[in-house]
Amino acid sequence: MKKTDICTINNSKITFNNEVIFKTSAENFSDFAKEAYKSLELNYPKFHKMDNLSKLAFLASEIILKEEDHSRTALIFANRSSSLDTDFKYQESINSQENYFPSPAVFVYTLPNICVGEISIKHKMQTENAFFVLDEFDEQFLNNYSEQILQSGKADKVLCGWVELYQESYNAFVYLLTV
């Protein structure tokens, strides 16, 4: 297996194959994501309805996947916080006595694998996908899992990554593996 492309997102910047392709002074993730989406000229209106974890995963994936055919690309992602950021927002909507309105639009994102689904839908991926919750980034684990998928013939490539987002702390390290 070989790593062909790498995208990192943290500290208000996006790096692709060691080259900074976007940087902003935005202090919070929501503003950063909006500015990145606009600057990168992405055209996927559903992006604006996604939770922040999905936006992070989507941005990193778009840098690597572009508009090529990825119907045979698998997705293997992981993080530490699962969907905790969105879970808290959903819980707040339940706890509020004055503004009680548990939003179905927020509830949808209370599972971390939804971000993998968003990417799969956009790129019409029809392969394996998984989202693991791990104590820390374990590249060896992700690579071993990906190698099994590639050897099985279920996919030609695997997009792997660590997409961690909780409150205003975010970090993405996403890479493409091929045979």
Side-chain angles (χ1 to χ4, degrees), residues 150-164:
L150 292 169
Q151 287 177 350
S152 75
K154 292 179 180 177
D156 299 329
K157 301 174 188 175
V158 180
L159 186 67
C160 293
W162 179 260
V163 287
E164 174 63 22

Side-chain angles (χ1 to χ4, degrees), residues 1 5 16 47 56 68-69 73 77 110 116 125 130 141 152 158 179:
M1 283 188 322
D5 290 311
F16 179 60
F47 176 84
L56 177 63
E68 300 166 12
D69 178 15
T73 301
F77 280 31
T110 59
V116 173
M125 296 173 164
F141 172 80
S152 75
V158 180
V179 181

Side-chain angles (χ1 to χ4, degrees), residues 51-54 78-91 106-115 131-133 163-167:
D51 73 323
N52 284 339
L53 178 62
S54 295
N79 75 7
R80 180 184 185 106
S81 299
S82 186
S83 58
L84 198 55
D85 188 67
T86 301
D87 296 350
F88 276 124
K89 288 175 182 154
Y90 186 70
Q91 187 62 46
V106 175
F107 178 74
V108 162
Y109 292 99
T110 59
L111 294 171
N113 62 329
I114 296 302
C115 67
F131 195 107
F132 296 98
V133 179
V163 287
E164 174 63 22
L165 183 136
Y166 182 65
Q167 294 175 340

Side-chain angles (χ1 to χ4, degrees), residues 12-138:
S12 299
K13 72 179 176 187
I14 300 174
T15 305
F16 179 60
N17 294 334
N18 295 318
E19 180 183 333
V20 176
I21 61 168
F22 175 76
K23 189 173 184 175
T24 182
S25 59
E27 292 184 19
N28 66 53
F29 179 79
S30 185
D31 291 342
F32 165 78
K34 286 177 197 170
E35 289 180 32
Y37 176 88
K38 193 178 215 179
S39 174
L40 297 169
E41 298 179 350
L42 300 176
N43 185 21
Y44 194 64
K46 195 173 176 188
F47 176 84
H48 303 290
K49 295 181 181 182
M50 294 179 193
D51 73 323
N52 284 339
L53 178 62
S54 295
K55 287 179 180 179
L56 177 63
F58 187 86
L59 286 170
S61 299
E62 284 303 290
I63 301 302
I64 294 173
L65 299 176
K66 303 174 186 101
E67 293 299 323
E68 300 166 12
D69 178 15
H70 285 284
S71 59
R72 293 206 22 91
T73 301
L75 292 165
I76 308 300
F77 280 31
N79 75 7
R80 180 184 185 106
S81 299
S82 186
S83 58
L84 198 55
D85 188 67
T86 301
D87 296 350
F88 276 124
K89 288 175 182 154
Y90 186 70
Q91 187 62 46
E92 286 173 2
S93 75
I94 293 172
N95 291 347
S96 174
Q97 302 243 338
E98 305 83 44
N99 298 317
Y100 180 81
F101 184 73
S103 169
V106 175
F107 178 74
V108 162
Y109 292 99
T110 59
L111 294 171
N113 62 329
I114 296 302
C115 67
V116 173
E118 294 283 11
I119 298 162
S120 295
I121 291 166
K122 163 74 165 64
H123 291 279
K124 298 176 177 69
M125 296 173 164
Q126 301 172 8
T127 56
E128 300 289 315
N129 68 63
F131 195 107
F132 296 98
V133 179
L134 307 171
D135 285 335
E136 59 188 21
F137 176 57
D138 187 343

